[in-house]
Amino acid sequence: MREMFMGRQLKLMIASAVAILFILLLISTLASAAILVPDEVDALKEIATTLGKKDWNFNRNVDPCSGDMGWINTTAPKDDQNSVFCDCSFQNYTTCHVTSIVLKSQSLPGTLPPELVKLPYLREFDVSRNYLSGGIPPIWGTMQLVNLSIIGNRISGPIPKEIGNISTLANLTLDFNQLSGTIPQELGNLTLLEKLTLTSNNWTGELPEALANLTSLKTFRVADSNLSGSIPNFIQNWKNLEILVIQGSGLHGPIPPGMASLTKLTDLRISDLNSNNDSTFPDLSQANNLKYLIRRSCNITGELPGYLASMTNLKILDLSFNKLSGKIPGTFSTISKTDYIYFTGNNFTGSVPSWIQNTGDNVDISYNNFTVESSINQGCQGAKLNLFASSSKNNSMGIVSCSKSRCSQNWSSLYINCGGKEEKIGDRSYERDTDSGGPTKLYSSGTNWLFSNTGHFINDDQDNDNYIYSNTSRILLDNESQLYMNARVSPLSLTYYGFCLRNENYTVKLHFAEIMFTDNKTYGSLGRRIFDIYIQGNLIWKDFNIADEAGGVNKPIVKPFTATVTDHTLEIRFYWAGKGTTEIPHKGVLGPLISAISVDPDFPVPSEHSLSVGASLSVGAIVGIVLAVLFTISLLLVILWWKGYLGQRKTMAQDLRGLDSQTGSFTLRQISWATNNFDAANKIGEGGFGSVYKGNLADGTIIAVKQLSSKSRQGNREFLNEIGMISALQHPNLVKLYGCCIERDQLLLVYEYMENNSLARALFGPEELRLNLDWSTRHKISVGIARGLAFLHEESRLKIVH
Ligand SMILES: *[C@@H]1O[C@H](CO)[C@@H](O)[C@H](O)[C@H]1NC(C)=O
Ligand SMILES: *[C@@H]1O[C@H](CO)[C@@H](O)[C@H](O)[C@H]1NC(C)=O
Ligand SMILES: *[C@@H]1O[C@H](CO)[C@@H](O)[C@H](O)[C@H]1NC(C)=O
Ligand SMILES: *[C@@H]1O[C@H](CO)[C@@H](O)[C@H](O)[C@H]1NC(C)=O
Ligand SMILES: *[C@@H]1O[C@H](CO)[C@@H](O)[C@H](O)[C@H]1NC(C)=O
Ligand SMILES: *[C@@H]1O[C@H](CO)[C@@H](O)[C@H](O)[C@H]1NC(C)=O
Ligand SMILES: *[C@@H]1O[C@H](CO)[C@@H](O)[C@H](O)[C@H]1NC(C)=O
Ligand SMILES: *[C@@H]1O[C@H](CO)[C@@H](O)[C@H](O)[C@H]1NC(C)=O
Ligand SMILES: *[C@@H]1O[C@H](CO)[C@@H](O)[C@H](O)[C@H]1NC(C)=O
Ligand SMILES: *[C@@H]1O[C@H](CO)[C@@H](O)[C@H](O)[C@H]1NC(C)=O
Ligand SMILES: *[C@@H]1O[C@H](CO)[C@@H](O)[C@H](O)[C@H]1NC(C)=O
Ligand SMILES: *[C@@H]1O[C@H](CO)[C@@H](O)[C@H](O)[C@H]1NC(C)=O
């Protein structure tokens, strides 16, 4: 009985244990109930092989959709870089299908897998930024893809017409590949297409008429290509279009009138149209939501349309390099809040409106035909307004606005280490060019050169633009390798402008090296930088590609050109004409890049002239010499003045008139503006007789202002005559006196500015300011000083004893 009872208890226990086990089993099978269908597991294996994807692990007996394999993740955000997504809701949550494969930025080395068709539920395939080659499999036309992106690979061949059968397709992004052929008209069947981007491929032919049917399009981009024909008027059908980008595409102008129907546009960029016809400014009066309006280099004529004034949402307005004319009305002040305004390279006339002068942040009106009044109270550099050459050469001042107006001498050479520090190579001294640059930047502190940059790095997701690029690897090939360690880059247009050059022929050598890309078989090595080069306004190289010319990246290439200088100026311009990649190796425009510029004379340079000393002596040294002598002269002047040689009958202002014929006169307002109201930051020296300030005149000339301690003295004609005579003294080892200013209590002498401060500081100053001079340089300095003194003592008309 008892045994029987115990036997029954045991049975009960076993039964409940089995039940629990069964429940546990049930729970566990429920938890992993949904599994990827085996066919798709096999398909994934094939796809991995074709793509060259090695880190998918199929060895473990784990379901790919469970997430346990580390590469399939149903919980990750959709923009993940490395994911396979499954939909496990099939057959009452028991079966999974792969719906999305996203493998970005992995430099996968394989080809595009035709096996994708074995994943019938696949809606998204994104292999952006890899190293895939081969063509687009036509069999993909049988799929029901919604998103297809192959951005930034090496895919070649045509777009198979079968792609036109993927009627579900909403986003088709093919940018930055090596696709070619014509755009198939079958794409016109993709009536759900919202986004079609074709940038940086080698397309030929015209855009097919059938694309007119793409009425759902919100984004259309084609840039950096070889299309032909004009921008089709059928784009007027694309009424939902928000983003339209046509840059350096090969398409012709004019911009069709149908553009007026695109009222939802927020981003319109049309540039570098291959056009021989002029076009007028297209009607965009209904496109009130525009944030980006870029119409660069489209041969647009006529005046600015009035409706621009109502485009108050604008962030970028780029109308550079057209033929726009007329005045910029004052009423356009409504757009003054636009982040960047580029009017560079047009034919605008009239005066610069006050809203540009006063509130124009990041406004570039360089290379125009404005009337620049001499009273213009605006800086040419430093401020976020670029006025370089904004008035024509024929204006009342007779000079290119914002360049140096006077030359103390004419040079026979020019060497710039673009983006880098001063470098001495052989007997050539490459000047420093380390200014950080900017979107509307005029830098004018070079000895006889300046640069003017227009443009910022649009869409690069960076807060701070960098206009200098530094080499991370090494270029060892060359004894000039220092020149290639840094380079100046520009997103759009960069002009180096040499002045005070002798009117002769020169050999211009442009030094390049592609230091931004790698060649290590990653997607980063697929970048292409292409830009145009102009010398003296003539296009001398279209579609220049540094890496192609040099035979690879990180290799130097020097291109020599001959240039004729006729009015003492030399202009070298680098321009991005919409060609090349913009998102490879990273987002943002790849504009021109220049490592160094050398300009050598094609003529014999007179050797006894001290200019030849200047050529071989470092600039700093010669500068020091002149400054030393300059201080001597000021000393002498002040002594004369104190000794009362200078009588006191007439007012200075009256006397000044007599001086005009001999030397320049400056107003106190001009000089206080130039020195930022004698800002302590501009003070470059303090002598026994007053302070010396650096200043920038409105025309860009850099000056040194000596402020003689004001003792409310009055001078007279004699004193002014002395200044006049001294200013007439010209010697290469003497600093030029531009003129003076006598107003109220102020007595100011305005000299040519010398970059490296005084010789005393160079030789005897604090260690960190001293120049490192070798003996031959020191010898040349001594000779230079002796020459200067000999001139003062013996040779000049006015004998001055030091
Ligand atoms: C899935 O993605 C989420 C979010 O990115 C992450 O936290 C998680 O670790 C991932 N799981 C696996 C198995 O990779
Ligand atoms: C789906 O499963 C739930 C329980 O998990 C069940 O209640 C339901 O009846 C099932 N539906 C079908 C159609 O099998
Ligand atoms: C297509 O891509 C977009 C953007 O990444 C995403 O929001 C959308 O869900 C994708 N569609 C499908 C069907 O995967
Ligand atoms: C297409 O891509 C955009 C983002 O690029 C996304 O917002 C949109 O949802 C996608 N369309 C579809 C149908 O997935
Ligand atoms: C697809 O495009 C071709 C060529 O444009 C056209 O002839 C054909 O009718 C289209 N098919 C459909 C289903 O729209
Ligand atoms: C583009 O295509 C044209 C003609 O098909 C060919 O001559 C040219 O070399 C191609 N350019 C590139 C960069 O592949
Ligand atoms: C647009 O599509 C319709 C059919 O949907 C077709 O008849 C027409 O030819 C297409 N238009 C063009 C220009 O291909
Ligand atoms: C603009 O038109 C002129 C002729 O009027 C032509 O010479 C020039 O090449 C055109 N510019 C561009 C960028 O196509
Ligand atoms: C510039 O504009 C002026 C006056 O509007 C005109 O006379 C001149 O021909 C224009 N120059 C060019 C190159 O279009
Ligand atoms: C500048 O304007 C003047 C007069 O309006 C005109 O004669 C000249 O051709 C213009 N210069 C340029 C470069 O268009
Ligand atoms: C400059 O070179 C051109 C030919 O390239 C020649 O005609 C001209 O005379 C030269 N000018 C000078 C100043 O040597
Ligand atoms: C390729 O070069 C880039 C830049 O130097 C580097 O970040 C990357 O790791 C390299 N990739 C490979 C696979 O060597």
Side-chain angles (χ1 to χ4, degrees):
M1 174 75 185
R2 193 178 173 90
E3 270 186 321
M4 247 178 76
F5 177 74
M6 280 187 69
R8 273 183 63 191
Q9 220 175 19
L10 200 72
K11 272 186 198 159
L12 211 76
M13 277 172 71
I14 290 169
S16 46
V18 166
I20 287 168
L21 212 77
F22 181 77
I23 288 166
L24 277 177
L25 212 76
L26 198 78
I27 288 171
S28 78
T29 35
L30 268 181
S32 63
I35 55 160
L36 184 59
V37 292
D39 282 356
E40 296 196 20
V41 178
D42 292 340
L44 284 174
K45 286 179 185 165
E46 292 171 34
I47 289 166
T49 309
T50 314
L51 287 171
K53 175 87 180 151
K54 302 240 166 64
D55 56 356
W56 279 350
N57 184 354
F58 293 97
N59 294 333
R60 281 185 289 154
N61 196 16
V62 180
D63 185 76
C65 289
S66 68
D68 290 349
M69 290 176 80
W71 50 272
I72 289 186
N73 195 337
T74 43
T75 55
K78 267 275 189 156
D79 62 356
D80 203 351
Q81 303 271 306
N82 182 25
S83 305
V84 173
F85 297 92
C86 298
D87 180 349
C88 293
S89 65
F90 294 91
Q91 290 167 9
N92 208 7
Y93 293 92
T94 59
T95 304
C96 299
H97 291 285
V98 173
T99 56
S100 161
I101 298 178
V102 179
L103 305 171
K104 296 191 198 171
S105 306
Q106 305 184 14
S107 298
L108 298 175
T111 56
L112 291 177
E115 299 88 356
L116 285 188
V117 297
K118 297 180 182 172
L119 302 174
Y121 292 87
L122 190 70
R123 298 290 171 265
E124 178 171 57
F125 185 63
D126 185 342
V127 284
S128 303
R129 296 187 176 79
N130 281 290
Y131 203 65
L132 302 169
S133 55
I136 299 176
I139 197 170
W140 281 5
T142 61
M143 293 197 290
Q144 264 120 54
L145 288 172
V146 175
N147 289 341
L148 175 58
S149 170
I150 59 167
I151 285 189
N153 282 281
R154 298 178 293 155
I155 308 302
S156 53
I159 304 181
K161 62 181 188 322
E162 289 81 356
I163 296 297
N165 297 336
I166 311 179
S167 57
T168 48
L169 207 54
N171 288 303
L172 179 58
T173 36
L174 305 175
D175 318 61
F176 314 111
N177 276 289
Q178 294 156 19
L179 293 161
S180 55
T182 55
I183 310 291
Q185 56 171 351
E186 284 77 7
L187 291 191
N189 289 349
L190 301 173
T191 47
L192 297 181
L193 206 59
E194 294 167 20
K195 180 172 168 186
L196 177 59
T197 62
L198 304 165
T199 294
S200 284
N201 282 287
N202 194 11
W203 310 118
T204 48
E206 304 191 6
L207 290 178
E209 195 69 31
L211 295 188
N213 274 351
L214 300 180
T215 48
S216 307
L217 267 192
K218 289 184 182 158
T219 303
F220 179 77
R221 285 201 187 100
V222 62
D224 178 28
S225 201
N226 287 318
L227 291 168
S228 51
S230 52
I231 299 180
N233 197 44
F234 66 64
I235 58 171
Q236 64 185 329
N237 290 8
W238 297 349
K239 297 224 161 38
N240 292 304
L241 205 63
E242 290 164 10
I243 301 176
L244 176 60
V245 179
I246 299 177
Q247 298 194 289
S249 61
L251 292 177
H252 289 228
I255 294 161
M259 186 77 65
S261 328
L262 308 182
T263 57
K264 292 188 180 169
L265 284 175
T266 58
D267 186 348
L268 174 61
R269 305 180 197 185
I270 298 185
S271 79
D272 307 286
L273 286 181
N274 225 344
S275 137
N276 291 318
N277 343 18
D278 294 344
S279 66
T280 49
F281 207 96
D283 180 12
L284 293 171
S285 52
Q286 304 304 310
N288 294 318
N289 299 322
L290 272 177
K291 283 197 182 125
Y292 304 100
L293 176 53
I294 297 177
R295 288 256 154 123
R296 185 173 54 243
S297 194
C298 290
N299 258 343
I300 304 176
T301 56
E303 305 199 357
L304 287 181
Y307 62 75
L308 264 189
S310 60
M311 290 200 172
T312 47
N313 296 323
L314 279 182
K315 293 197 174 310
I316 300 174
L317 176 62
D318 180 354
L319 303 174
S320 54
F321 304 105
N322 283 296
K323 295 181 193 162
L324 291 162
S325 56
K327 294 182 177 176
I328 295 181
T331 52
F332 277 32
S333 60
T334 45
I335 59 166
S336 65
K337 291 212 172 67
T338 304
D339 294 345
Y340 301 93
I341 297 180
Y342 304 133
F343 288 146
T344 316
N346 278 286
N347 187 16
F348 287 118
T349 49
S351 54
V352 178
S354 58
W355 66 267
I356 288 185
Q357 289 184 44
N358 299 333
T359 55
D361 267 6
N362 296 327
V363 177
D364 200 315
I365 57 169
S366 58
Y367 290 97
N368 267 291
N369 209 349
F370 287 102
T371 313
V372 174
E373 295 106 35
S374 47
S375 66
I376 186 167
N377 188 19
Q378 208 24 264
C380 288
Q381 63 172 51
K384 292 176 163 181
L385 168 63
N386 187 356
L387 285 164
F388 178 63
S390 55
S391 64
S392 78
K393 292 185 184 180
N394 308 327
N395 69 15
S396 56
M397 292 168 87
I399 49 153
V400 172
S401 46
C402 297
S403 77
K404 204 163 220 162
S405 56
R406 281 166 257 234
C407 299
S408 58
Q409 55 175 275
N410 281 323
W411 303 76
S412 344
S413 59
L414 174 62
Y415 307 104
I416 308 167
N417 183 18
C418 307
K421 60 185 185 9
E422 187 179 340
E423 290 289 355
K424 206 160 187 317
I425 289 177
D427 56 3
R428 301 194 173 109
S429 184
Y430 286 79
E431 284 188 50
R432 179 174 68 91
D433 174 24
T434 51
D435 187 272
S436 57
T440 57
K441 178 72 186 185
L442 170 64
Y443 168 84
S444 64
S445 297
T447 307
N448 61 329
W449 59 275
L450 54 80
F451 77 71
S452 169
N453 181 74
T454 305
H456 64 289
F457 292 90
I458 191 169
N459 292 12
D460 65 351
D461 300 343
Q462 308 257 322
D463 289 340
N464 290 313
D465 282 346
N466 199 355
Y467 296 84
I468 291 181
Y469 196 83
S470 297
N471 197 359
T472 44
S473 63
R474 268 261 191 84
I475 296 171
L476 296 166
L477 288 174
D478 207 274
N479 62 353
E480 299 186 339
S481 60
Q482 310 97 288
L483 296 181
Y484 302 97
M485 294 311 290
N486 299 285
R488 185 165 290 284
V489 289
S490 168
L492 223 171
S493 175
L494 171 65
T495 307
Y496 279 92
Y497 187 83
F499 45 80
C500 298
L501 287 163
R502 289 169 171 237
N503 286 341
E504 295 276 3
N505 285 344
Y506 295 82
T507 300
V508 175
K509 285 189 182 146
L510 304 179
H511 303 244
F512 303 99
E514 184 50 77
I515 56 175
M516 219 151 166
F517 304 157
T518 55
D519 55 359
N520 61 3
K521 297 203 173 11
T522 60
Y523 69 89
S525 65
L526 299 174
R528 280 184 300 123
R529 179 196 305 282
I530 297 174
F531 56 92
D532 295 346
I533 306 171
Y534 293 78
I535 293 184
Q536 300 293 48
N538 301 316
L539 177 62
I540 52 139
W541 202 304
K542 179 145 183 60
D543 295 343
F544 186 78
N545 181 327
I546 299 171
D548 280 3
E549 290 299 319
V553 303
N554 278 321
K555 289 183 180 158
I557 176 80
V558 180
K559 288 285 170 191
F561 304 97
T562 301
T564 302
V565 169
T566 52
D567 60 358
H568 301 290
T569 62
L570 173 63
E571 186 183 280
I572 303 167
R573 188 156 78 88
F574 305 96
Y575 174 74
W576 179 63
K579 298 283 188 181
T581 56
T582 46
E583 295 200 25
I584 304 287
H586 32 67
K587 285 194 97 170
V589 166
L590 290 173
L593 177 152
I594 173 77
S595 301
I597 295 173
S598 60
V599 178
D600 287 301
D602 280 358
F603 52 92
V605 181
S607 61
E608 83 291 328
H609 196 281
S610 48
L611 254 185
S612 59
V613 176
S616 53
L617 193 55
S618 89
V619 180
I622 198 149
V623 154
I625 297 164
V626 268
L627 220 78
V629 180
L630 151 75
F631 280 95
T632 316
I633 300 175
S634 339
L635 182 93
L636 183 108
L637 272 175
V638 173
I639 291 171
L640 280 174
W641 179 40
W642 268 351
K643 288 263 159 91
Y645 270 105
L646 319 169
Q648 307 186 344
R649 257 171 305 160
K650 291 181 188 167
T651 66
M652 292 272 180
Q654 280 172 308
D655 290 331
L656 204 59
R657 274 179 227 131
L659 186 68
D660 284 348
S661 56
Q662 294 166 59
T663 188
S665 65
F666 292 83
T667 63
L668 184 56
R669 186 159 166 264
Q670 245 177 327
I671 292 180
S672 63
W673 178 79
T675 56
N676 205 2
N677 217 0
F678 298 99
D679 189 346
N682 288 347
K683 195 157 162 178
I684 53 175
E686 175 79 63
F689 306 102
S691 314
V692 184
Y693 294 87
K694 181 182 178 180
N696 294 306
L697 292 179
D699 68 4
T701 312
I702 306 178
I703 51 172
V705 179
K706 191 168 177 77
Q707 185 182 37
L708 299 180
S709 320
S710 53
K711 296 235 167 92
S712 63
R713 264 165 217 277
Q714 291 186 321
N716 73 352
R717 182 168 298 279
E718 265 176 274
F719 165 68
L720 294 164
N721 281 346
E722 298 292 346
I723 295 176
M725 283 157 88
I726 289 169
S727 77
L729 288 180
Q730 289 207 21
H731 187 267
N733 293 113
L734 289 182
V735 164
K736 179 130 175 69
L737 179 68
Y738 285 157
C740 65
C741 164
I742 301 163
E743 229 177 281
R744 294 188 216 142
D745 288 351
Q746 297 279 354
L747 179 48
L748 304 161
L749 298 174
V750 180
Y751 291 96
E752 181 182 8
Y753 174 74
M754 291 290 147
E755 187 75 49
N756 281 12
N757 209 283
S758 73
L759 184 62
R761 195 172 84 174
L763 292 175
F764 311 116
E767 189 111 35
E768 68 276 9
L769 296 177
R770 256 182 252 166
L771 294 179
N772 195 2
L773 302 171
D774 59 19
W775 283 112
S776 78
T777 310
R778 284 165 191 272
H779 175 248
K780 282 173 188 159
I781 292 174
S782 309
V783 172
I785 293 174
R787 281 214 176 100
L789 286 174
F791 176 76
L792 289 175
H793 287 189
E794 310 277 344
E795 295 153 20
S796 70
R797 206 159 33 85
L798 172 78
K799 306 268 185 289
I800 297 176
V801 177
H802 177 55

Short mmCIF file of all heavy atoms in Angstrom, two decimals, residues 109-136:
data_model
loop_
_atom_site.label_atom_id
_atom_site.label_comp_id
_atom_site.label_asym_id
_atom_site.label_seq_id
_atom_site.Cartn_x
_atom_site.Cartn_y
_atom_site.Cartn_z
N PRO A 109 35.74 44.58 -51.53
CA PRO A 109 36.47 44.52 -52.80
C PRO A 109 35.74 43.79 -53.94
O PRO A 109 36.27 43.72 -55.03
CB PRO A 109 37.73 43.75 -52.40
CG PRO A 109 37.28 42.83 -51.32
CD PRO A 109 36.16 43.53 -50.60
N GLY A 110 34.57 43.23 -53.69
CA GLY A 110 33.95 42.34 -54.68
C GLY A 110 33.15 43.05 -55.76
O GLY A 110 33.53 44.11 -56.24
N THR A 111 32.05 42.40 -56.15
CA THR A 111 31.18 42.97 -57.19
C THR A 111 29.75 43.01 -56.66
O THR A 111 29.45 42.49 -55.58
CB THR A 111 31.21 42.09 -58.45
OG1 THR A 111 30.85 40.75 -58.09
CG2 THR A 111 32.61 42.07 -59.07
N LEU A 112 28.87 43.64 -57.43
CA LEU A 112 27.47 43.72 -57.01
C LEU A 112 26.83 42.33 -57.19
O LEU A 112 26.94 41.73 -58.25
CB LEU A 112 26.72 44.75 -57.87
CG LEU A 112 27.11 46.20 -57.64
CD1 LEU A 112 26.36 47.10 -58.61
CD2 LEU A 112 26.87 46.63 -56.21
N PRO A 113 26.17 41.80 -56.17
CA PRO A 113 25.69 40.41 -56.23
C PRO A 113 24.35 40.26 -56.96
O PRO A 113 23.34 40.80 -56.49
CB PRO A 113 25.53 40.04 -54.75
CG PRO A 113 25.38 41.34 -54.03
CD PRO A 113 25.99 42.40 -54.85
N PRO A 114 24.33 39.50 -58.06
CA PRO A 114 23.06 39.18 -58.72
C PRO A 114 22.17 38.35 -57.79
O PRO A 114 20.94 38.37 -57.92
CB PRO A 114 23.47 38.35 -59.94
CG PRO A 114 24.94 38.46 -60.06
CD PRO A 114 25.49 38.89 -58.76
N GLU A 115 22.81 37.66 -56.81
CA GLU A 115 22.07 36.77 -55.91
C GLU A 115 21.05 37.50 -55.04
O GLU A 115 20.26 36.86 -54.35
CB GLU A 115 23.06 36.02 -55.00
CG GLU A 115 24.05 35.13 -55.72
CD GLU A 115 25.32 35.88 -56.14
OE1 GLU A 115 25.40 37.11 -55.93
OE2 GLU A 115 26.23 35.24 -56.69
N LEU A 116 21.07 38.82 -55.09
CA LEU A 116 20.07 39.56 -54.30
C LEU A 116 18.66 39.12 -54.65
O LEU A 116 17.75 39.19 -53.82
CB LEU A 116 20.19 41.07 -54.58
CG LEU A 116 21.34 41.86 -53.98
CD1 LEU A 116 21.12 43.35 -54.24
CD2 LEU A 116 21.48 41.61 -52.49
N VAL A 117 18.49 38.66 -55.91
CA VAL A 117 17.14 38.28 -56.34
C VAL A 117 16.61 37.09 -55.55
O VAL A 117 15.41 36.82 -55.55
CB VAL A 117 17.10 37.95 -57.85
CG1 VAL A 117 17.46 39.18 -58.67
CG2 VAL A 117 18.02 36.78 -58.17
N LYS A 118 17.50 36.41 -54.84
CA LYS A 118 17.05 35.29 -54.02
C LYS A 118 16.49 35.75 -52.68
O LYS A 118 16.15 34.93 -51.83
CB LYS A 118 18.22 34.31 -53.81
CG LYS A 118 18.70 33.69 -55.12
CD LYS A 118 19.84 32.73 -54.89
CE LYS A 118 20.35 32.18 -56.22
NZ LYS A 118 21.58 31.39 -56.04
N LEU A 119 16.47 37.04 -52.49
CA LEU A 119 15.87 37.60 -51.27
C LEU A 119 14.61 38.35 -51.70
O LEU A 119 14.64 39.55 -51.93
CB LEU A 119 16.86 38.55 -50.58
CG LEU A 119 18.22 37.99 -50.17
CD1 LEU A 119 19.12 39.10 -49.65
CD2 LEU A 119 18.07 36.88 -49.14
N PRO A 120 13.48 37.62 -51.83
CA PRO A 120 12.31 38.22 -52.47
C PRO A 120 11.71 39.40 -51.69
O PRO A 120 10.96 40.18 -52.26
CB PRO A 120 11.32 37.06 -52.54
CG PRO A 120 11.78 36.07 -51.54
CD PRO A 120 13.26 36.23 -51.43
N TYR A 121 12.04 39.50 -50.40
CA TYR A 121 11.45 40.60 -49.61
C TYR A 121 12.43 41.77 -49.44
O TYR A 121 12.16 42.68 -48.67
CB TYR A 121 10.97 40.08 -48.26
CG TYR A 121 9.80 39.14 -48.41
CD1 TYR A 121 9.99 37.78 -48.62
CD2 TYR A 121 8.50 39.64 -48.37
CE1 TYR A 121 8.91 36.93 -48.79
CE2 TYR A 121 7.41 38.80 -48.53
CZ TYR A 121 7.63 37.44 -48.75
OH TYR A 121 6.54 36.61 -48.92
N LEU A 122 13.55 41.67 -50.12
CA LEU A 122 14.55 42.74 -49.97
C LEU A 122 14.00 44.04 -50.54
O LEU A 122 13.57 44.11 -51.69
CB LEU A 122 15.85 42.35 -50.70
CG LEU A 122 17.04 43.26 -50.41
CD1 LEU A 122 17.51 43.08 -48.97
CD2 LEU A 122 18.20 42.99 -51.36
N ARG A 123 13.99 45.08 -49.73
CA ARG A 123 13.49 46.38 -50.16
C ARG A 123 14.62 47.42 -50.24
O ARG A 123 14.45 48.46 -50.83
CB ARG A 123 12.41 46.89 -49.19
CG ARG A 123 11.18 46.00 -49.11
CD ARG A 123 10.38 46.06 -50.40
NE ARG A 123 9.32 45.03 -50.41
CZ ARG A 123 9.47 43.82 -50.98
NH1 ARG A 123 10.61 43.48 -51.56
NH2 ARG A 123 8.49 42.94 -50.97
N GLU A 124 15.69 47.12 -49.56
CA GLU A 124 16.75 48.12 -49.48
C GLU A 124 18.11 47.46 -49.63
O GLU A 124 18.40 46.48 -48.95
CB GLU A 124 16.67 48.84 -48.13
CG GLU A 124 17.77 49.87 -47.92
CD GLU A 124 17.52 50.70 -46.67
OE1 GLU A 124 17.41 50.10 -45.58
OE2 GLU A 124 17.44 51.92 -46.79
N PHE A 125 18.92 48.03 -50.50
CA PHE A 125 20.29 47.55 -50.65
C PHE A 125 21.19 48.77 -50.75
O PHE A 125 21.06 49.60 -51.65
CB PHE A 125 20.42 46.68 -51.91
CG PHE A 125 21.78 46.05 -52.06
CD1 PHE A 125 22.25 45.14 -51.12
CD2 PHE A 125 22.59 46.36 -53.14
CE1 PHE A 125 23.51 44.56 -51.25
CE2 PHE A 125 23.86 45.79 -53.28
CZ PHE A 125 24.30 44.88 -52.32
N ASP A 126 22.07 48.88 -49.77
CA ASP A 126 22.92 50.08 -49.71
C ASP A 126 24.36 49.66 -49.47
O ASP A 126 24.72 49.17 -48.40
CB ASP A 126 22.43 50.98 -48.56
CG ASP A 126 23.17 52.30 -48.51
OD1 ASP A 126 24.26 52.42 -49.10
OD2 ASP A 126 22.67 53.24 -47.86
N VAL A 127 25.19 49.84 -50.50
CA VAL A 127 26.61 49.51 -50.36
C VAL A 127 27.46 50.77 -50.62
O VAL A 127 28.46 50.73 -51.31
CB VAL A 127 27.04 48.37 -51.30
CG1 VAL A 127 26.58 47.03 -50.77
CG2 VAL A 127 26.51 48.60 -52.71
N SER A 128 27.02 51.89 -50.02
CA SER A 128 27.74 53.14 -50.21
C SER A 128 29.18 53.02 -49.73
O SER A 128 29.44 52.41 -48.70
CB SER A 128 27.08 54.26 -49.40
OG SER A 128 25.75 54.41 -49.76
N ARG A 129 30.08 53.66 -50.44
CA ARG A 129 31.49 53.78 -50.04
C ARG A 129 32.16 52.43 -49.80
O ARG A 129 32.53 52.08 -48.70
CB ARG A 129 31.62 54.67 -48.80
CG ARG A 129 31.19 56.09 -49.08
CD ARG A 129 31.46 57.01 -47.92
NE ARG A 129 31.12 58.37 -48.28
CZ ARG A 129 29.88 58.84 -48.29
NH1 ARG A 129 28.87 58.07 -47.94
NH2 ARG A 129 29.65 60.09 -48.65
N ASN A 130 32.25 51.67 -50.86
CA ASN A 130 33.01 50.44 -50.82
C ASN A 130 34.00 50.47 -51.98
O ASN A 130 34.34 51.55 -52.46
CB ASN A 130 32.07 49.25 -50.88
CG ASN A 130 31.44 48.98 -49.52
OD1 ASN A 130 32.13 48.55 -48.61
ND2 ASN A 130 30.16 49.29 -49.37
N TYR A 131 34.44 49.32 -52.41
CA TYR A 131 35.43 49.29 -53.48
C TYR A 131 34.98 48.28 -54.53
O TYR A 131 35.76 47.57 -55.14
CB TYR A 131 36.80 48.92 -52.89
CG TYR A 131 37.99 49.36 -53.70
CD1 TYR A 131 38.27 50.70 -53.90
CD2 TYR A 131 38.85 48.42 -54.27
CE1 TYR A 131 39.37 51.10 -54.63
CE2 TYR A 131 39.96 48.80 -55.00
CZ TYR A 131 40.21 50.15 -55.18
OH TYR A 131 41.29 50.55 -55.90
N LEU A 132 33.64 48.21 -54.67
CA LEU A 132 33.05 47.21 -55.56
C LEU A 132 33.25 47.59 -57.02
O LEU A 132 33.23 48.77 -57.37
CB LEU A 132 31.55 47.07 -55.27
CG LEU A 132 31.21 46.69 -53.82
CD1 LEU A 132 29.72 46.85 -53.56
CD2 LEU A 132 31.65 45.25 -53.56
N SER A 133 33.42 46.59 -57.85
CA SER A 133 33.60 46.87 -59.28
C SER A 133 32.57 46.08 -60.07
O SER A 133 31.65 45.49 -59.50
CB SER A 133 35.02 46.49 -59.70
OG SER A 133 35.28 45.14 -59.35
N GLY A 134 32.73 46.05 -61.37
CA GLY A 134 31.78 45.33 -62.22
C GLY A 134 30.58 46.19 -62.55
O GLY A 134 30.57 47.39 -62.26
N GLY A 135 29.56 45.53 -63.13
CA GLY A 135 28.40 46.29 -63.56
C GLY A 135 27.20 46.08 -62.66
O GLY A 135 27.26 45.34 -61.68
N ILE A 136 26.11 46.76 -63.01
CA ILE A 136 24.85 46.57 -62.29
C ILE A 136 24.15 45.36 -62.91
O ILE A 136 23.89 45.37 -64.12
CB ILE A 136 23.95 47.82 -62.42
CG1 ILE A 136 24.66 49.03 -61.82
CG2 ILE A 136 22.61 47.58 -61.75
CD1 ILE A 136 23.89 50.34 -61.99
#
